[in-house]
Amino acid sequence: MTDHVTLFEMGPRDGLQNEKAMIATADKIKLVDMLTDCGFSKIEVTSFVSPKWVPQMADASDVLAGITRADGVSYAALTPNMRGLAGAQDAKANEVAIFGSASEGFSQANINCSIDESLERFAPVLEAAKAAGLPVRGYVSCTVECPYDGATPPENVLRVTKAMLDMGCYEVSLADTIGTATPSGISRMLDAVLAEVAPELLAGHYHDTGGRALDNIKVSLDKGLRVFDAAVGGLGGCPYAPGAQGNVATESVVAMLEAQGYATGIDQVALAKAAAFALSLKETA
Ligand code: HMG
Ligand code: MG
C-alpha cells in the first residue's frame, strides 16, 4: 500500500498573516474554497489573536462564516488563549491550535509571555476544548534556531512538545520558524523528540528561507513523520520572526512526495490554480 502523507495547508493563515495591506475577506474566502477543491483534509483558515498584533487576521469570524465547507475537511484556527477559543467556537472552527515556542526570546516576542507562562495559559484552553469535543493541535516554534536567542537546545523542544501532548494536544507541529535549519539540525532535533514521542504525534512545519525545507521534509519522512505543514504559493512569514520567509510551497511538497511514491490525495491542477490566485493576492496587497 502506498504510504499516505497528510498536508496541512497553511496558506490562508501563515501565508497571509504577514501581508501589510489588508486583503479583502471575500478573497480569503475564495482562497479557502479553492483549497477545499484541491482535496486537503486540513486547512488552517485564520487566527483568533489580537487585531493590534496581527491586523490581517481581524476578520477571522467573517472568513469562517463565509467559506463553503466540505465533508471530511477540518477548518482550523489559531487560539492563543480563552478569548481566542471562544471566538473559534462561535465561528465553528473544526479544530483549534495553541502555539508556543522552544525559545524564550520568540515566546516573548510572539505571545508576550515566557514559555512556562504560555503553558499555564494553554491549559484551560485545552480543558475547555476537550469539554467541547474540539481537537487541539500544538505548535512549537523555533525548534532549531531562534532569531533572538540563537541555536535552540533540542531538549527544550522535547520539554514543550511533551507538555503540549500531556495537556491533550492530538499532534504537535515542530516549526523551523525562520527557515534556516539544515537537515542535520532537523535530524538532531527530531532525534531528541523521538526518543520519547511517537512520530505519529508529530508534524513538520518548515519555512523555506534557506531553501532547505524540502530536504528537511525528506529527513523527517525518513524518521517516520507523515504530516507536514505547507503554504500554497510558498506564501508567508511570521510578523515576530524578522527576515523569515514563507512556509515551504505546498505545490513543491506535493510534487516531491508524489515523485517519491507517497500519496497525498491532492489534485495538482487545482493546486496550481490556487497557488496562482494566492500569489496574485500577495502582489495586489
Ligand atoms: P497580551 O498583550 O499579552 O495579552 O497578548 P492581553 O490579554 O493583555 O491582551 C492584550 C490585548 O489583546 C487586549 O486588548 C485584549 O483584549 C486583546 P486591548 O485591551 O489592548 O484593546 N486580546 C485579543 N483580541 C482578540 N482575540 C484574542 C485576544 N486576546 C487578547 N484572542 C496575545 C497576548 C497572545 C493575545 C498576543 O500576543 C497576540 O495576539 N499575539 C499574536 C501572535 C500571532 O498571531 N503570531 C503569529 C502566529 S504564530 C506563527 O506564525 C508561528 C507558527 O506558524 C509556527 C512557526 O512557524 O513557528 C504557528
Ligand atoms: Mg509558521
Side-chain angles (χ1 to χ4, degrees):
M1 206 179 92
T2 317
D3 225 350
H4 184 84
V5 172
T6 300
L7 291 173
F8 206 132
E9 173 54 43
M10 295 281 131
R13 195 280 301 171
D14 208 350
L16 298 183
Q17 70 182 8
N18 207 27
E19 289 301 315
K20 294 286 167 287
M22 292 307 284
I23 295 165
T25 303
D27 284 335
K28 294 176 183 171
I29 291 168
K30 182 174 170 188
L31 177 61
V32 175
D33 289 348
M34 289 180 86
L35 292 166
T36 295
D37 290 342
C38 294
F40 291 100
S41 56
K42 305 259 191 178
I43 302 175
E44 198 154 85
V45 175
T46 189
S47 305
F48 288 88
V49 297
S50 164
K52 285 189 192 149
W53 286 63
V54 186
Q56 190 62 255
M57 297 288 109
D59 58 358
S61 302
D62 294 337
V63 176
L64 274 163
I67 59 173
T68 302
R69 296 173 191 237
D71 287 346
V73 183
S74 185
Y75 297 94
L78 294 190
T79 54
N81 52 21
M82 290 299 283
R83 176 154 171 205
L85 178 68
Q89 283 182 288
D90 285 348
K92 300 195 169 29
N94 299 102
E95 67 176 83
V96 297
I98 53 163
F99 48 104
S101 173
S103 70
E104 290 292 351
F106 187 76
S107 184
Q108 289 291 351
N110 194 41
I111 50 175
N112 203 24
C113 62
S114 70
I115 296 172
D116 284 342
E117 284 165 348
S118 76
L119 296 173
E120 277 168 32
R121 271 188 205 173
F122 298 149
V125 175
L126 265 294
E127 261 173 50
K130 193 175 172 189
L134 203 57
V136 184
R137 195 176 197 232
Y139 287 98
V140 183
S141 287
C142 299
T143 60
V144 179
E145 211 168 293
C146 169
Y148 306 100
D149 299 352
T152 303
E155 57 270 25
N156 292 14
V157 185
L158 175 64
R159 179 175 87 87
V160 179
T161 302
K162 275 174 51 183
M164 288 181 173
L165 290 170
D166 287 348
M167 274 179 209
C169 288
Y170 75 87
E171 175 177 287
V172 172
S173 183
L174 302 170
D176 173 21
T177 307
I178 54 175
T180 53
T182 59
S184 63
I186 292 286
S187 195
R188 257 195 314 279
M189 179 275 290
L190 285 178
D191 285 345
V193 178
L194 289 166
E196 295 188 36
V197 176
E200 293 78 19
L201 299 174
L202 301 172
H205 177 109
Y206 305 141
H207 286 256
D208 202 22
T209 316
R212 303 303 301 274
L214 285 181
D215 295 330
N216 293 338
I217 290 177
K218 284 181 191 158
V219 93
S220 310
L221 284 166
D222 290 343
K223 292 185 186 293
L225 274 66
R226 291 293 179 272
V227 181
F228 295 98
D229 302 349
V232 66
L235 290 186
C238 175
Y240 302 102
Q245 301 289 313
N247 281 105
V248 62
T250 316
E251 53 278 20
S252 308
V253 182
V254 172
M256 182 274 282
L257 289 170
E258 300 273 346
Q260 297 216 346
Y262 292 97
T264 63
I266 306 301
D267 175 343
Q268 294 195 56
V269 175
L271 183 60
K273 285 185 193 148
F277 180 65
L279 288 167
S280 78
L281 294 180
K282 193 180 164 73
E283 280 152 18
T284 55

